């Protein structure tokens, strides 16, 4: 079978006595050494800011793709793209974006964002169009590369003569992950997303998304995000804490079956929310992941 | 107060020297040049290093050489200072990251969260260089249509909101920003708020600086012009009941003897074509850039024609991108001029030299000790 893109959610706030960038480093190292493919820094109003966490995580790893989740009100799309271009340059193009569009209204207002309803999706679409536009707007010239060929007049954002010059323009645009199951969310992904993550992990809207994307001549990869508790056997599982609080509790073999079932429905990305994060990330890397591809050591 | 001495980072790559305007570090070249570094080539293939790896070395060199930190500039063609500071936070111990940014591009709540996270990552080593923009085409390039004087009004409002969010439980409705119930998360509350270095030479900038600046930062200018500018800021700030400190950003080219220093300039100057001599025509609506051009001499009279006062040379922009003025001379002369600037009221310096890594060591070993004989220099 195809190798699944397995990712983990990173901690953004204290978990017991573990906290801060030291804790983060251990989790991303666990994911890296466990040969997982990525990590996601959630937008957490009560936690660390995601760009800074992602930058540190990228610096601590060689292979891991690190997605930072943020909402499109944090900066101009040009500035977000500028930051992203540097992180792509520094990381060998392992940085990704996850846009948080459907914010809780009170959280949004506390972040200076008073845009409501489907306007949020329109703004997110403009954000991505501009970010991609200046990235590929290229041929910037003049002192410091100040005049490019990309102009955009939108409802929320404007750019005149924008466009990055080399070398910022030479790295790939970050992978764009989006979430949500509403018609507006699916439409945004169909037009501008690379990967759509369903959380909760139900695929009821997946067919509709694929259809919409096809209508736009695009392909959007499918992903699920789920909280998990994984153990070697049923007895051990019965003793584990929090088993009723997760989307899925099971043995490594059962988890592998679940992921195969997702894969059969077209899912290529699975994001695990598993705690305590360091230990559980090692479990995923050492026990689950080998079940999902032809084990190299089989029969040895 | 002791004198804080910073060393700038080149966020737009670096040259191997001032002798030729050839970028060899950081991949800021159209065509790979022999000897390019970070990324380098091995058997024709990129070696996997990035400019952040070289900047990490400049950061460590600056720490070792005795600088308190460095300024990370931001322009359309540069790498981003937030991205650099966040990437290198864990790879330094004492280094203060002075992040240059324009308030218009980042929402103040995001700025607060980003800063507080980096304060947590560094143990409080973030410093702000708040710039309100060179304007002109560059401002529109960034997607920002706010006019020159309004940009300073926005900067003021931005910093009000940022400080309010930092303090917590903050609501605000202004011309540019609106927030409701904003604050930092529990884990991030109580971090020290960064010192603010504030740039800008227009009256609108100086007024805004009076309200918010811990340090009023200027490029180097002829000393009498600089003294007059500081006096204006002092007056404006006093009217608001504030006493800002002063900082100067300048290049230094120091060698064991004055002859050796000027010889370095001469070599660079002789390698300039006529086109390069006509450079520095742009600059948007930056008042500071126009001031600097007005103060310097005539390059057609040779490189010494640009020496506006002993050791004060107004031709650095011809030899590398960036501001006009710097000091050229022996270690003793450069230290003496810095001493004179301290006499004018300067409390902090942002020094720079090309190439940044090697020159950090040179200045740290040869100039800082001379300055430390007569002044209380901050030990990082």
């Amino acid at each position: 079978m195809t190798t699944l893109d397995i990712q983990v959610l990173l901690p953004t706030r204290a978990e017991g006595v573990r906290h801060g960038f030291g804790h983060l480093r251990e989790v991303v190292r666990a994911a890296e050494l466990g040969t997982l493919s990525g990590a996601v820094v959630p937008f957490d109003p009560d936690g660390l800011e995601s760009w800074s966490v992602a930058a540190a995580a990228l610096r601590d790893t060689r292979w891991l793709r690190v997605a930072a989740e943020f909402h499109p009100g944090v900066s101009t799309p040009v500035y977000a793209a500028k930051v992203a271009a540097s992180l792509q340059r520094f990381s060998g193009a392992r940085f990704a974006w996850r846009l948080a569009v459907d914010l809780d209204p009170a959280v949004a207002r506390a972040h200076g964002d008073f845009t409501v309803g489907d306007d949020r999706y329109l703004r997110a679409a403009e954000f991505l169009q501009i970010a991609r536009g200046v990235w590929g707007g290229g041929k910037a010239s003049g002192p410091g590369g100040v005049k490019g060929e990309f102009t955009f007049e939108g409802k929320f954002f404007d750019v005149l003569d924008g466009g990055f010059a080399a070398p910022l323009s030479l790295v790939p645009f970050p992978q764009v992950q989006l979430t949500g199951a509403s018609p507006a969310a699916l439409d945004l992904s169909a037009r501008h997303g690379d990967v759509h993550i369903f959380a909760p992990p139900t695929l009821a809207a997946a067919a509709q998304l694929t259809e919409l994307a096809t209508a736009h001549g695009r392909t959007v990869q499918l992903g699920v995000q789920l909280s998990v508790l994984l153990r070697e056997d049923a007895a051990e599982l019965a003793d584990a804490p929090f088993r009723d609080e997760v989307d899925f509790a099971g043995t490594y073999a059962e988890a592998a079956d679940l992921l195969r079932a997702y894969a059969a429905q077209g899912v290529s990305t699975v994001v695990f929310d598993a705690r305590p994060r360091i230990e559980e990330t090692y479990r995923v890397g050492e026990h689950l992941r080998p079940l999902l591809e032809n084990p190299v050591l089989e029969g040895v | 107060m002791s004198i804080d001495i910073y060393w700038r980072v080149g966020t737009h790559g670096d040259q191997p020297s001032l002798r030729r305007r050839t970028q060899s570090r950081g991949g800021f070249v159209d065509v790979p040049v022999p000897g390019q570094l970070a990324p380098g080539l091995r058997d024709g293939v990129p070696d996997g290093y990035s400019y952040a790896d070289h900047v990490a070395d400049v950061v460590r060199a600056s720490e070792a050489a005795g600088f308190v930190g460095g300024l990370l500039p931001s322009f359309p063609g540069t790498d981003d200072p937030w991205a650099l500071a966040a990437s290198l936070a864990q790879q330094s111990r004492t280094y203060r990251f002075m992040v240059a940014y324009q308030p218009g591009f980042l929402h103040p709540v995001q700025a607060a969260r980003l800063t507080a996270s980096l304060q947590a990552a560094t143990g409080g080593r973030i410093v702000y260089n708040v710039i309100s923009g060179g304007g002109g085409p560059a401002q529109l390039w960034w997607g920002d249509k706010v006019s020159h004087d309004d940009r300073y009004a926005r900067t003021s409002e931005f910093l009000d909101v940022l400080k309010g969010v930092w303090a917590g439980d903050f609501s605000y409705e202004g011309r540019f920003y609106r927030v409701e119930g904003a604050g930092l998360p529990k884990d991030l509350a109580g971090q020290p708020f960064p010192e603010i270095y504030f740039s800008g030479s227009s009256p609108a900038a100086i007024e805004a600086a009076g309200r918010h600046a811990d340090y009023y930062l200027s490029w180097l200018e002829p000393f009498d012009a600089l003294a007059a500018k500081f006096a204006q800021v002092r007056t404006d700030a006093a009217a608001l009941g504030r006493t800002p400190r002063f900082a100067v950003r300048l290049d230094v080219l120091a060698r064991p003897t004055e002859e050796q220093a000027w010889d370095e300039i001469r070599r660079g100057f002789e390698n300039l074509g006529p086109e390069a001599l006509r450079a520095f025509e742009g600059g948007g609506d930056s008042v500071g850039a126009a001031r600097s051009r007005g103060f310097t001499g005539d390059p057609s009279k040779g490189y010494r024609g640009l020496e506006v006062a002993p050791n004060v040379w107004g031709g650095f922009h011809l030899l590398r991108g960036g501001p006009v003025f710097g000091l050229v001379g022996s270690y003793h002369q450069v230290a003496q001029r810095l001493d004179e600037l301290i006499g004018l009221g300067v409390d902090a310096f942002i020094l720079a030299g090309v190439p940044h890594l090697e020159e950090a060591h040179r200045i740290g070993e040869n100039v800082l000790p001379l300055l430390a004989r007569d002044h209380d220099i901050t030990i990082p």
Side-chain angles (χ1 to χ4, degrees):
Chain A
M1 64 175 287
T2 324
T3 308
L4 274 171
D5 199 334
I6 299 181
Q7 312 190 359
V8 288
L9 279 185
L10 296 182
T12 45
R13 58 178 107 165
E15 296 181 349
V17 296
R18 301 174 182 184
H19 63 91
F21 284 79
H23 182 209
L24 271 161
R25 181 166 203 272
E26 285 196 68
V27 181
V28 293
R29 295 290 299 167
E32 175 94 343
L33 297 181
T35 69
L36 305 189
S37 51
V40 177
V41 191
F43 167 71
D44 179 359
D46 294 323
L48 295 169
E49 189 282 331
S50 64
W51 290 357
S52 60
V53 171
L58 289 166
R59 196 71 192 150
D60 284 335
T61 52
R62 295 179 193 173
W63 299 94
L64 214 60
R65 169 182 282 142
V66 181
E69 186 180 30
F70 59 94
H71 71 93
V74 295
S75 75
T76 67
V78 179
Y79 197 70
K82 188 83 162 19
V83 172
S86 283
L87 292 180
Q88 288 290 69
R89 272 166 50 73
F90 301 160
S91 68
R94 295 183 287 120
F95 184 51
W97 279 357
R98 190 193 275 200
L99 287 193
V101 183
D102 187 18
L103 292 189
D104 172 84
V107 168
R109 291 195 298 272
H111 287 76
D113 184 5
F114 290 76
T115 308
V116 293
D118 284 355
D119 257 5
R120 296 172 304 170
Y121 287 93
L122 175 60
R123 183 181 57 177
E126 284 189 8
F127 189 94
L128 291 171
Q129 279 172 277
I130 289 176
R132 281 190 206 275
V134 294
W135 202 289
K139 296 184 186 160
S141 59
V146 294
K147 196 160 166 29
E149 297 181 338
F150 181 77
T151 292
F152 188 101
E153 287 180 59
K155 183 173 175 184
F156 297 94
F157 305 111
D158 301 277
V159 177
L160 282 172
D161 297 332
F164 294 167
L168 302 183
S169 59
L170 300 180
V171 280
F173 191 79
Q175 182 196 66
V176 175
Q177 304 178 3
L178 295 163
T179 61
S182 70
L186 298 178
D187 181 63
L188 180 68
S189 264
R191 289 187 294 129
H192 299 291
D194 297 316
V195 185
H196 191 91
I197 308 287
F198 289 98
T202 54
L203 294 171
Q208 195 190 340
L209 171 61
T210 303
E211 198 176 305
L212 277 170
T214 305
H216 288 287
R218 302 184 72 249
T219 309
V220 178
Q221 295 173 49
L222 302 179
V224 291
Q225 179 169 309
L226 64 167
S227 53
V228 293
L229 179 68
L230 308 177
R231 290 294 180 272
E232 195 160 328
D233 55 41
E236 209 181 343
L237 202 58
D239 291 337
F242 319 119
R243 66 165 298 163
D244 297 327
E245 298 167 19
V246 294
D247 293 320
F248 174 84
T251 63
Y252 304 129
E254 287 165 348
D257 286 343
L258 176 76
L259 298 196
R260 285 190 199 97
Y262 273 128
Q265 296 178 78
V267 167
S268 58
T269 298
V270 177
V271 183
F272 285 131
D273 181 357
R275 304 168 198 222
R277 297 184 191 274
I278 300 165
E279 293 87 337
E280 297 305 298
T281 300
Y282 270 104
R283 284 181 193 277
V284 171
E286 285 185 312
H287 299 292
L288 172 58
R289 197 182 176 290
L291 302 178
L292 294 168
E293 55 192 75
N294 294 328
V296 180
L297 300 177
E298 191 172 82
V300 172
Chain B
M1 291 283 295
S2 60
I3 310 279
D4 288 350
I5 306 184
Y6 290 82
W7 184 255
R8 175 185 181 267
V9 166
T11 45
H12 193 252
D14 207 355
Q15 304 174 187
S17 75
L18 288 176
R19 296 178 184 186
R20 278 179 194 79
R21 287 196 70 160
T22 308
Q23 299 281 86
S24 64
R25 302 179 188 184
F28 287 86
V29 284
D30 294 333
V31 181
V33 295
Q36 74 165 56
L37 316 169
L41 298 175
R42 283 182 189 259
D43 301 328
V45 178
D47 63 2
Y49 283 102
S50 77
Y51 190 47
D53 294 301
H54 176 64
V55 175
D57 290 337
V58 175
V59 164
R60 288 186 283 258
S62 304
E63 284 188 339
F67 295 98
V68 296
L71 165 65
L72 284 56
S74 170
F75 293 97
T78 66
D79 272 315
D80 179 73
W82 290 110
L84 262 176
S87 298
L88 304 182
Q90 312 290 306
Q91 300 180 336
S92 53
R93 292 163 184 270
T94 60
Y95 191 88
R96 301 183 204 161
F97 294 90
M98 189 189 291
V99 175
Y101 73 100
Q102 303 206 22
F105 308 159
L106 206 56
H107 194 280
V109 177
Q110 171 69 1
R113 288 172 48 80
L114 183 53
T115 303
S117 293
L118 290 178
Q119 291 293 59
T122 59
R125 292 187 278 123
I126 299 297
V127 176
Y128 286 161
N129 175 23
V130 173
I131 46 180
S132 293
Q139 210 65 23
L140 302 168
W141 183 95
W142 293 101
D144 184 14
K145 286 182 172 177
V146 174
S147 70
H148 185 280
D149 280 15
D150 263 2
R151 283 207 299 274
Y152 288 98
R154 179 179 59 191
T155 293
S156 274
E157 193 174 309
F158 175 94
L159 290 170
D160 286 340
V161 174
L162 177 47
K163 288 172 179 171
V165 173
W166 201 272
D169 194 17
F170 180 72
S171 295
Y172 183 89
E173 206 163 335
R175 260 183 81 197
F176 302 96
Y177 301 107
R178 183 180 166 200
V179 294
E180 191 179 298
L184 289 171
K186 176 169 58 70
D187 289 358
L188 294 178
Q191 296 281 350
F193 191 80
E195 285 187 324
I196 298 177
Y197 281 65
F198 200 102
S199 319
S201 290
S202 68
I206 289 175
E207 191 193 325
R211 283 193 61 204
H212 290 289
D214 294 306
Y215 288 85
Y216 176 79
L217 172 64
S218 175
W219 288 337
L220 182 66
E221 293 177 352
F223 292 8
D224 50 349
L226 205 56
K229 198 168 164 185
F230 290 168
Q232 182 63 51
V233 175
R234 252 185 222 109
T235 306
D236 286 13
L240 295 158
R242 290 175 56 91
T243 36
R245 296 189 284 274
F246 292 92
V248 176
R249 146 92 181 87
L250 72 157
D251 273 55
V252 283
L253 196 156
R255 292 293 182 270
T257 67
E258 181 176 11
E259 291 68 29
Q260 286 170 320
W262 284 116
D263 194 49
E264 199 66 17
I265 296 290
R266 178 187 59 76
R267 284 166 181 259
F269 205 79
E270 285 174 359
N271 282 324
L272 291 173
E275 205 173 297
L277 288 175
R278 282 194 300 271
F280 204 62
E281 297 298 322
D285 55 358
S286 162
V287 174
R291 267 176 75 99
S292 287
R293 288 195 298 275
F295 288 133
T296 196
D298 179 0
S300 70
K301 293 177 183 157
Y303 66 95
R304 289 304 281 262
L306 299 174
E307 188 185 11
V308 299
N311 309 112
V312 180
W313 194 63
F316 277 94
H317 59 301
L318 300 169
L319 304 185
R320 50 101 186 98
V324 174
F325 283 103
L327 300 176
V328 178
S330 68
Y331 297 141
H332 277 91
Q333 287 171 323
V334 167
Q336 204 177 338
R337 297 294 163 263
L338 293 173
D339 174 79
E340 286 166 20
L341 287 167
I342 292 170
L344 290 181
V346 173
D347 309 279
F349 291 105
I350 300 166
L351 304 181
V354 172
H356 288 71
L357 188 143
E358 295 93 318
E359 291 296 308
H361 283 298
R362 178 195 292 279
I363 300 303
E365 287 161 25
N366 299 293
V367 177
L368 296 192
L370 297 177
L371 212 53
R373 290 199 306 217
D374 297 325
H375 298 283
D376 180 13
I377 305 291
T378 307
I379 307 293

